[in-house]
Amino acid sequence: MKDVMKVGIIGGGLMGREAASAFARWFVLENFPVRAELVAVCDLQDKLLDWFQQVPTVKLLTKDHRELLASPDVDVVYVAVPHNLHEALYLDVLAAGKDLLAEKPFGIDLAAATRIREAAAKSGRFVRCSSEFPFLPGAQRVIEVARSGKLGHLLEVRSCFWHSSDLDPTKAANWKRQVKFCGEIGVMGDLGMHVVHVPFRLGMNPVRTYAQLQKIYLERPDGKGGVAACDTWDNAMLHCDLEHEGRTVPMRLEMKRLAPGATNTWSIEILGTDGGARYSTAEPKSLWLFERQKEQRWTRIDLGFQTPFPTITGGIFEPGFPDCFLQMWAAYAAERAGSLGTRFGCVTPDEAVHSHQVFAAALESHRTRAAAVIGD
Ligand SMILES: NC(=O)c1ccc[n+]([C@@H]2O[C@H](COP(=O)([O-])OP(=O)(O)OC[C@H]3O[C@@H](n4cnc5c(N)ncnc54)[C@H](O)[C@@H]3O)[C@@H](O)[C@H]2O)c1
């Protein structure tokens, strides 16, 4: 008999339903110690609660998250709501004695993230934050290269997450375009956890940043025939310094809603004098490895389905977003059950707070038009 991890979802929108789809195909994981089961869902919208009725294991559908948290059936809560609600809902989850997989950015700003981390530590509950791309086979290979000790002197690190649908000025505004819901950090709150997770886990912690932040369209259709103001940062380029083995190394973090042609493109590049690696979801099967021997060469490897948690999927098949999202949940469940081993884990509360320190420094840098020190 496997342990069962009974999950409740608060926020059944884009990501809440993605999580439901991950639990529904949990059986693809091979020899996995835990079975995940979605048992309860809370959302404010009837049409979304109706959608979840097709999930046979769901016993509770509610518009009141307190009702979900009162259910003794729920062990773990996934909260996927607008950023202005993160702190209050995460604290309620912890106060109810449940474990938490929090959606990024783990609170609307640094102060909120710090309070959530404190409450998580006091509660003793298992708390992690969402970031799924590192669980793709290509990302795992870049991590392996970075840890191999074969890079020589580290030259530079570049980590990017790009979207492009906002290039269309007729795209309607939603809560992600407004500071009161999304936060002053704007696109960094939306896309930033995805670009810092791997560098942070590799011990690449930036000490200062010079940030270039852009607001591009200041208003958009509101979807109801009117116009809505959009006041969040759309694109952010953070030019950072890392201290690595006694040297200062450049690291660039790029978070963009307006990156021409990039639908949901996550990429990472780590370059050294002797070796390096580059991976982008734009070419999901391609891993590029750099080697300096007598001659210098970039080698392209056609990747298969070598995910951190083995599955029944054929080893030559192509992974995508739903696969890495399932792998991230597997990492959460495995770590919670004490069986993560040496595998890559989900973002910790410390890493989430650290990401907010980077974003807070970026705001300061933009205000002063100078490099800002990233606090501890
Ligand atoms: N990991 C990823 O790749 C990824 C991708 C997109 C969004 N996100 C994050 O997920 C979170 C949600 O984003 P989304 O795109 O799913 O948004 P969404 O707008 O599609 O869904 C949010 C849902 O929360 C519900 N909601 C609002 N207030 C609520 C309340 N008090 N109680 C219960 N439900 C409530 C809304 O009705 C809505 O259905 C955000 O933190 C966002 O940054 C993560």
Side-chain angles (χ1 to χ4, degrees), residues 17-214:
R17 282 173 294 161
E18 199 59 48
S21 108
F23 306 134
R25 53 194 292 271
W26 197 261
F27 47 70
V28 302
L29 295 166
E30 263 199 323
N31 301 320
F32 194 75
V34 180
R35 186 160 62 80
E37 194 173 285
L38 179 60
V39 295
V41 179
C42 169
D43 200 287
L44 306 179
Q45 301 182 50
D46 289 320
K47 68 172 196 281
L48 288 171
L49 293 179
D50 284 349
W51 185 90
F52 281 96
Q53 287 199 6
Q54 66 190 308
V55 182
T57 51
V58 171
K59 297 183 197 93
L60 172 67
L61 291 167
T62 176
K63 290 186 178 175
D64 181 353
H65 74 275
R66 282 169 292 250
E67 194 186 351
L68 182 145
L69 295 178
S71 165
D73 246 4
V74 174
D75 306 316
V76 167
V77 184
Y78 173 55
V79 187
V81 295
H83 306 168
N84 60 314
L85 303 174
H86 282 188
E87 182 179 1
L89 292 189
Y90 296 178
L91 297 185
D92 283 355
V93 169
L94 296 169
K98 311 289 188 190
D99 290 340
L100 170 68
L101 180 63
E103 257 306 340
K104 46 79 187 167
F106 205 73
I108 199 159
D109 56 19
L110 175 59
T114 307
R115 287 189 291 267
I116 298 164
R117 174 176 65 178
E118 201 178 301
K122 267 198 197 138
S123 72
R125 305 313 310 178
F126 181 65
V127 177
R128 290 292 180 268
C129 183
S130 174
S131 153
E132 59 278 1
F133 296 103
F135 297 95
L136 283 167
Q140 288 289 311
R141 293 288 293 273
V142 174
I143 293 164
E144 207 177 282
V145 169
R147 286 178 169 160
S148 68
K150 293 183 183 156
L151 290 178
H153 294 298
L154 186 63
L155 287 172
E156 63 178 79
V157 176
R158 198 180 309 164
S159 185
C160 309
F161 194 22
W162 298 336
H163 285 182
S164 61
S165 57
D166 278 24
L167 286 167
D168 175 3
T170 67
K171 179 182 163 184
N174 62 22
W175 62 263
K176 294 173 188 172
R177 306 293 172 270
Q178 293 177 330
V179 166
K180 64 183 170 187
F181 304 116
C182 179
E184 197 192 345
I185 55 178
V187 67
M188 295 184 280
D190 270 349
L191 308 183
M193 197 71 78
H194 297 290
V195 303
V196 297
H197 187 187
V198 171
F200 283 2
R201 194 56 66 93
L202 292 172
M204 296 170 174
N205 297 307
V207 292
R208 70 187 73 77
T209 187
Y210 178 76
Q212 293 169 312
L213 309 181
Q214 290 168 282

Side-chain angles (χ1 to χ4, degrees), residues 101 129-132 135 324-332 346:
L101 180 63
C129 183
S130 174
S131 153
E132 59 278 1
F135 297 95
C324 63
F325 199 67
L326 171 60
Q327 289 285 321
M328 176 189 78
W329 267 103
Y332 178 90
C346 298

